[in-house]
């Protein structure tokens, strides 16, 4: 049966006839994918793949980010089918996109998981598809950075986070607090072009990264932070990683290591909105732990981060 026989379309995640366009199905029903994108591993003519990585065995405090992809997908349903704020158009009118499902790995063999994440990400990126990933704890960014650098070379890292993630690492740890140190040591990212936004903790070293601390949202303002980021990153390829604990716990309680004193969701999203000129080649949203959430506010914030990033890509596509 075709969708035309029904009053409204349903289950676009499985029945979509096109990879473009909103589904306009009820927000409270239907099969849940990221913004009702079709679940598919066929990357033919695909511009963007949204991919879940349900891994949280690297956390240092509260577990639960393995449920992040589910939470973000569920929250994203409320946004589908309309012109998206603040862009004023539907990105799916511009980008052919799929929900690629979740990364596949054996949860009982931790040492092999980074290799599986990297290999599967390389497969997607190698098809010329832009990859946006939903974690999972922040360790997943390490193999994702390796996969993107293999295609695009030395990357700038734009990191929204309460933590620097530069703790000591012997190169073999499965730890969500040391991926930046490892990426700098192995020349995956260029610290001279990289910047961390919203930091509210101290680590033993900064690895040469520029840091905008949480309190500087008050002194620099949104436009000042945007200018600092754009100046630092320049024109080369960049990767965005957004740890949801960058936000103050009032706006994102559903995370493993919350830290008071962070920006509001409005402030962080306003900064992200101003980064459209940066050459982002990939990105992720991580550390959403729905079990600690209330009324899905953390998952909604994370879905909005993802949608804002995707809006930047679509806006750039429309311009040129």
């Amino acid at each position: 049966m075709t969708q035309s026989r029904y009053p409204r379309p349903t289950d676009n995640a499985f029945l979509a006839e096109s990879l473009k366009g909103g589904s306009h199905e009820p927000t409270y029903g239907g099969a849940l994918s990221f913004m009702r994108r079709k679940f598919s591993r066929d990357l033919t003519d695909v511009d963007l793949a949204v991919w879940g990585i349900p891994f949280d065995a690297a956390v240092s405090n509260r577990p639960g980010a393995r449920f992040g992809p589910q939470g973000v997908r569920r929250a994203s349903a409320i946004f589908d089918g309309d012109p998206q704020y603040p862009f004023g158009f539907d990105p799916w009118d511009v980008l052919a996109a799929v929900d690629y499902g979740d990364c596949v790995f054996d949860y009982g063999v931790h040492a092999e998981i980074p290799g599986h994440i990297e290999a599967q990400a390389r497969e997607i990126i190698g098809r010329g598809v832009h990859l946006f990933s939903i974690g999972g704890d922040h360790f997943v960014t390490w193999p994702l950075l390796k996969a993107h650098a293999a295609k695009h070379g030395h990357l700038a890292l734009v990191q929204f986070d309460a933590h620097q993630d530069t703790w000591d690492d012997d190169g073999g740890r499965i730890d969500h607090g040391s991926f930046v140190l490892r990426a700098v040591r192995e020349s995956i990212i260029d610290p001279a072009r990289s910047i961390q936004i919203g930091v509210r903790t101290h680590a033993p070293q900064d690895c040469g990264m520029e840091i905008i601390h949480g309190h500087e949202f008050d002194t620099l303002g949104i436009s000042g932070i945007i200018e600092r980021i754009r100046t630092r990153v320049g024109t080369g390829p960049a990767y965005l990683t957004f740890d949801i604990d960058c936000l103050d716990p009032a706006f994102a309680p559903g995370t493993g290591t919350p830290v008071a004193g962070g920006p509001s969701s409005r402030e962080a999203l306003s900064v992200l909105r101003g980064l459209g000129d940066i050459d982002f080649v990939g990105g992720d949203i991580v550390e959403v732990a729905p079990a600690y959430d209330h009324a899905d506010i953390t998952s909604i914030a994370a879905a909005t981060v993802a949608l804002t990033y995707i809006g930047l890509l679509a806006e750039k596509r429309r311009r040129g």
Side-chain angles (χ1 to χ4, degrees):
M1 294 184 181
T2 63
Q3 295 281 19
S4 61
R5 297 190 58 181
Y6 297 88
R8 295 191 72 176
T10 58
D11 295 331
N12 195 71
F14 297 110
L15 302 177
E17 296 179 356
S18 172
L19 300 183
K20 288 188 174 182
S23 72
H24 305 285
E25 63 186 281
T27 59
Y28 49 82
L32 291 174
S33 61
F34 181 79
M35 283 195 71
R36 308 291 191 181
R37 296 304 87 202
K38 186 175 184 179
F39 275 117
S40 178
R41 299 218 164 154
D42 180 0
L43 295 175
T44 304
D45 298 325
V46 170
D47 301 314
L48 169 73
V50 179
W51 189 43
I53 310 177
F55 174 80
D56 67 357
V59 296
S60 55
N61 194 35
R62 304 188 303 201
R66 67 182 61 187
F67 299 109
Q70 290 182 4
V72 174
R73 286 183 174 112
R74 182 179 65 252
S76 75
I78 65 174
F79 300 110
D80 172 60
D82 298 315
Q84 296 301 316
Y85 178 85
F87 299 95
F89 67 92
D90 190 339
W92 312 131
D93 289 338
V94 182
L95 298 172
V98 298
D99 188 321
Y100 199 75
D102 284 350
C103 182
V104 182
F105 52 79
D106 184 340
Y107 68 88
V109 189
H110 290 178
E112 295 181 358
I113 291 175
H116 288 306
I117 296 171
E118 181 183 352
Q120 291 168 50
R122 282 193 186 219
E123 183 178 353
I124 297 168
I125 298 165
R127 295 288 303 276
V129 175
H130 196 105
L131 177 61
F132 187 85
S133 304
I134 306 171
D137 68 45
H138 219 159
F139 175 78
V140 306
T141 301
W142 165 239
L144 288 171
L145 283 171
K146 291 176 69 179
H148 283 83
K151 180 175 178 65
H152 299 286
H154 220 191
L155 301 169
L157 182 68
V158 179
Q159 178 184 355
F160 288 76
D161 207 323
H163 309 89
Q164 294 174 246
D165 295 331
T166 58
W167 291 91
D168 292 337
D169 191 319
D170 61 6
R173 292 177 58 81
I174 307 293
D175 185 345
H176 71 160
S178 58
F179 80 92
V180 173
L181 174 69
R182 193 182 295 187
V184 171
R185 282 180 175 173
E186 299 195 18
S187 296
I188 301 297
I189 63 174
D190 179 0
R193 293 181 52 235
S194 298
I195 188 166
Q196 299 172 316
I197 304 103
V199 171
R200 306 186 296 284
T201 54
H202 295 293
Q205 54 186 310
D206 61 23
C207 294
M209 308 270 286
E210 183 172 352
I211 297 173
I212 297 176
H213 292 95
H215 66 270
E216 292 183 274
F217 273 77
D218 296 321
T219 55
L220 291 173
I222 302 303
S223 60
I225 292 173
I226 291 170
E227 185 58 31
R228 284 268 296 269
I229 297 169
R230 293 174 64 185
T231 300
R232 181 72 170 185
V233 173
T235 59
Y239 185 92
L240 174 82
T241 183
F242 197 114
D243 187 327
I244 202 64
D245 72 26
C246 174
L247 304 182
D248 189 273
F251 302 91
T255 190
T257 314
V259 182
S264 68
S265 53
R266 177 185 58 79
E267 290 169 325
L269 289 166
S270 295
V271 172
L272 183 57
R273 175 68 180 95
L275 304 183
D277 291 338
I278 291 179
D279 182 20
F280 287 120
V281 297
D284 63 56
I285 177 76
V286 297
E287 296 285 356
V288 176
Y292 313 110
D293 209 357
H294 173 71
D296 283 341
I297 61 173
T298 308
S299 293
I300 290 168
T304 308
V305 167
L307 181 57
T308 302
Y309 178 88
I310 291 166
L312 294 178
L313 299 181
E315 189 172 59
K316 188 174 292 187
R317 175 69 63 89
R318 287 183 90 195
R319 288 201 305 260

